[in-house]
Amino acid sequence: MNLVQSSSPESAPCSHISFHLSACISFLVLLATAGSGFAQAVLTSQNTNAPLTITLQDALHRARQNDPQYRSAVTDLGLAREDRVQARAALLPDVNYNNSYIYTQGTGPLPVSCQTSTVGCPTSKFIAHNGVHEYISQANVHEGLSLTNMAEYRRSSAALAQARAKAEIATRGLVVTVTETYYGLVVAQRKYATAQRADAEAARFMDISQKLEGGGEVAHADVIKARIQAQQQHRDLQEAQIAMERSRLDLAVLLFPDFNQDFAVVDDLQTPEPLPSFAEVAAAGQKNNPDLRAALAAYQVASHEVTAAWGGLLPSLSLDYFYGIDSNQFAIRSNGVRNLGYSTVASLQIPIFSWGADRSKLKQAELRRDQAHVELSFAQRQLLSHLRQFYSEAETARAEMESLASSAELAAESMRLVTLRYQAGESTVLEVVDAQNTLTLARNAYDDGQSRYRVAVANLQTLTGTF
């Protein structure tokens, strides 16, 4: 029996029920399965494209991998560590294995008188070496002892301590940079949200003014003022968006090697970290300050350089022990004699005259040491000054946050009341505009105050370490 075929493509497999019933069911099941699989694939793709959420600790970890100044300090630390290894190796005996073959010109054809007797006849024409053929294959153990070598090892140890302190300085400085940039983006996003609310509020107020003008309750001047305010708030919204995008770009440069901008930051400014007492901060600063350690290590480096310069004016001793073959034949035995043997050489080098070069090096080292001592004294005074300065900044920022929060709440309440009074005909348009601007400024000041405290704490921790 023939049935009327449907024009729908999906019903084509079901046109002959007696023959294609099972195929129709399978086809529909396949469509349903494929549809659900496609929906799941789309959902997975959307989840994959979700922006990366970054906390402050994540930002610090990423910045340590990508910031060139921090990586330079870490590289300098690695180089200083290898310098100490090399300086220590200079104090220890080194072992080499030398292999040489020396050919010296022979006598050539002998005179007739030397053919019957070799008495008084030359054995070689060129006597720079021990024979026409000389084979040298021997191990050499060398040790050099001097005041310069020992001072260089101590100098490298002090330089390692200095590089380690500078790496710590770079780490804490990076924390300040990342903290300032990270919360700069957080505050920029808050200010953008505030600008959006202000723009919407200005548009709503302009609508209220137009309606009141239509009812004859306010003058047209109020509508003009409301329109000016709405235009200004819209321009402020555009500027806030630009500032937010700029802050995002600044943070992206610090965090990502591929300049990724698709990320979100966590706003944790509502939970400020505690601030210890000044006595605790001062004790931590004197104990954990990397600038002071770097200045002290620099002074030690300069002092050891003076010692090394004195070593150039004093005798130096070197010892060499040779064991192996130094023979006219490359063999362990020749003519029944064992060619393996040893020799020892001890050398004492006494400097006498160098045209004043050694004295000049000593004078340079003493000048650098004196300069390092002045810088160490300055670092000590600067530490005391910065401790008080940074602690006062953090303490003031912490104390102001409560006042700024109260001001923002009062400004919001003032805005609400002034708007109600304007609708009731009890306030002027200037009072409403002033309340709008005051609310925006108060909210922005509160956001800046929270960020200021976090940055102030990060600056303080450059002197004290984490507390």
Side-chain angles (χ1 to χ4, degrees), residues 273-397:
E273 51 189 313
L275 183 66
S277 64
F278 180 76
E280 295 174 339
V281 169
Q286 294 177 358
K287 181 180 178 181
N288 302 323
N289 183 251
D291 294 284
L292 193 59
R293 293 202 306 268
L296 179 60
Y299 177 71
Q300 293 174 347
V301 168
S303 299
H304 291 311
E305 286 179 351
V306 173
T307 305
W310 271 111
L313 299 173
L314 300 177
S316 60
L317 176 66
S318 63
L319 301 174
D320 288 278
Y321 174 80
F322 299 92
Y323 180 82
I325 296 175
D326 189 352
S327 173
N328 297 121
Q329 296 182 2
F330 190 72
I332 296 178
R333 289 182 176 274
S334 59
N335 299 326
V337 178
R338 183 178 176 86
N339 290 331
L340 287 175
Y342 67 89
S343 66
T344 303
V345 179
S347 301
L348 181 64
Q349 184 177 5
I350 302 175
I352 297 178
F353 183 71
S354 63
W355 297 98
D358 293 333
R359 293 284 181 180
S360 177
K361 293 178 181 178
L362 177 60
K363 184 63 176 178
Q364 286 180 331
E366 290 175 344
L367 291 173
R368 285 192 289 266
R369 181 191 58 187
D370 295 340
Q371 177 64 26
H373 183 268
V374 173
E375 293 176 357
L376 174 59
S377 177
F378 178 77
Q380 293 172 337
R381 299 192 305 271
Q382 193 174 48
L383 170 62
L384 298 176
S385 172
H386 285 174
L387 276 174
R388 295 186 179 275
Q389 177 183 347
F390 293 166
Y391 186 83
S392 298
E393 175 74 15
E395 190 176 35
T396 302

Side-chain angles (χ1 to χ4, degrees), residues 32-151:
T33 305
S36 62
F38 177 75
Q40 184 177 4
V42 171
L43 181 60
T44 304
S45 176
Q46 291 176 350
N47 293 335
T48 303
N49 295 330
L52 179 65
T53 301
I54 296 178
T55 64
L56 178 60
Q57 295 303 319
D58 296 335
L60 292 173
H61 176 72
R62 290 177 176 275
R64 292 189 187 101
Q65 302 297 324
N66 301 308
D67 185 71
Q69 293 182 348
Y70 173 77
R71 298 302 304 175
S72 176
V74 173
T75 300
D76 291 340
L77 175 59
L79 294 176
R81 187 177 293 112
E82 298 305 321
D83 286 340
R84 189 180 65 167
V85 172
Q86 297 170 22
R88 181 182 59 187
L91 296 176
L92 302 175
D94 57 65
V95 180
N96 297 294
Y97 198 85
N98 304 319
N99 292 276
S100 302
Y101 166 70
I102 302 175
Y103 173 76
T104 305
Q105 185 181 7
T107 59
L110 294 175
V112 177
S113 60
C114 293
Q115 294 178 357
T116 57
S117 175
T118 59
V119 178
C121 293
T123 58
S124 63
K125 179 182 297 185
F126 189 74
I127 60 172
H129 301 289
N130 299 320
V132 176
H133 304 283
E134 182 178 0
Y135 299 89
I136 301 175
S137 181
Q138 55 191 213
N140 169 230
V141 180
H142 173 79
E143 170 69 11
L145 299 175
S146 67
L147 181 61
T148 299
N149 289 345
M150 291 184 287

Side-chain angles (χ1 to χ4, degrees), residues 84-277:
R84 189 180 65 167
V85 172
Q86 297 170 22
R88 181 182 59 187
L91 296 176
L92 302 175
D94 57 65
V95 180
N96 297 294
Y97 198 85
N98 304 319
N99 292 276
S100 302
Y101 166 70
I102 302 175
Y103 173 76
T104 305
Q105 185 181 7
T107 59
L110 294 175
V112 177
S113 60
C114 293
Q115 294 178 357
T116 57
S117 175
T118 59
V119 178
C121 293
T123 58
S124 63
K125 179 182 297 185
F126 189 74
I127 60 172
H129 301 289
N130 299 320
V132 176
H133 304 283
E134 182 178 0
Y135 299 89
I136 301 175
S137 181
Q138 55 191 213
N140 169 230
V141 180
H142 173 79
E143 170 69 11
L145 299 175
S146 67
L147 181 61
T148 299
N149 289 345
M150 291 184 287
E152 280 295 327
Y153 174 69
R154 293 175 181 174
R155 187 203 66 81
S156 65
S157 298
L160 176 59
Q162 182 184 16
R164 188 177 290 113
K166 288 185 176 180
E168 181 66 20
I169 293 172
T171 301
R172 298 183 184 184
L174 182 62
V175 170
V176 175
T177 301
V178 173
T179 300
E180 188 173 3
T181 309
Y182 181 89
Y183 288 117
L185 176 57
V186 171
V187 170
Q189 290 176 341
R190 285 188 176 188
K191 290 183 177 180
Y192 178 69
T194 299
Q196 285 181 316
R197 289 194 294 267
D199 182 61
E201 185 64 29
R204 189 177 73 89
F205 175 64
M206 185 176 66
D207 182 65
I208 293 174
S209 300
Q210 290 175 344
K211 290 179 180 179
L212 292 177
E213 183 193 19
E217 300 181 32
V218 298
H220 183 64
D222 288 5
V223 177
I224 295 176
K225 183 63 178 178
R227 187 181 300 277
I228 294 174
Q229 177 69 3
Q231 292 175 347
Q232 179 61 46
Q233 294 295 347
H234 187 70
R235 289 193 296 269
D236 292 342
L237 176 62
Q238 293 176 328
E239 293 295 331
Q241 183 177 7
I242 293 176
M244 182 178 64
E245 293 175 354
R246 185 186 302 113
S247 299
R248 179 175 296 276
L249 292 176
D250 292 340
L251 187 59
V253 169
L254 287 175
L255 304 187
F256 300 102
D258 55 352
F259 197 63
N260 179 25
Q261 301 180 52
D262 189 16
F263 64 93
V265 293
V266 177
D267 185 353
D268 58 350
L269 287 176
Q270 300 293 344
T271 56
E273 51 189 313
L275 183 66
S277 64

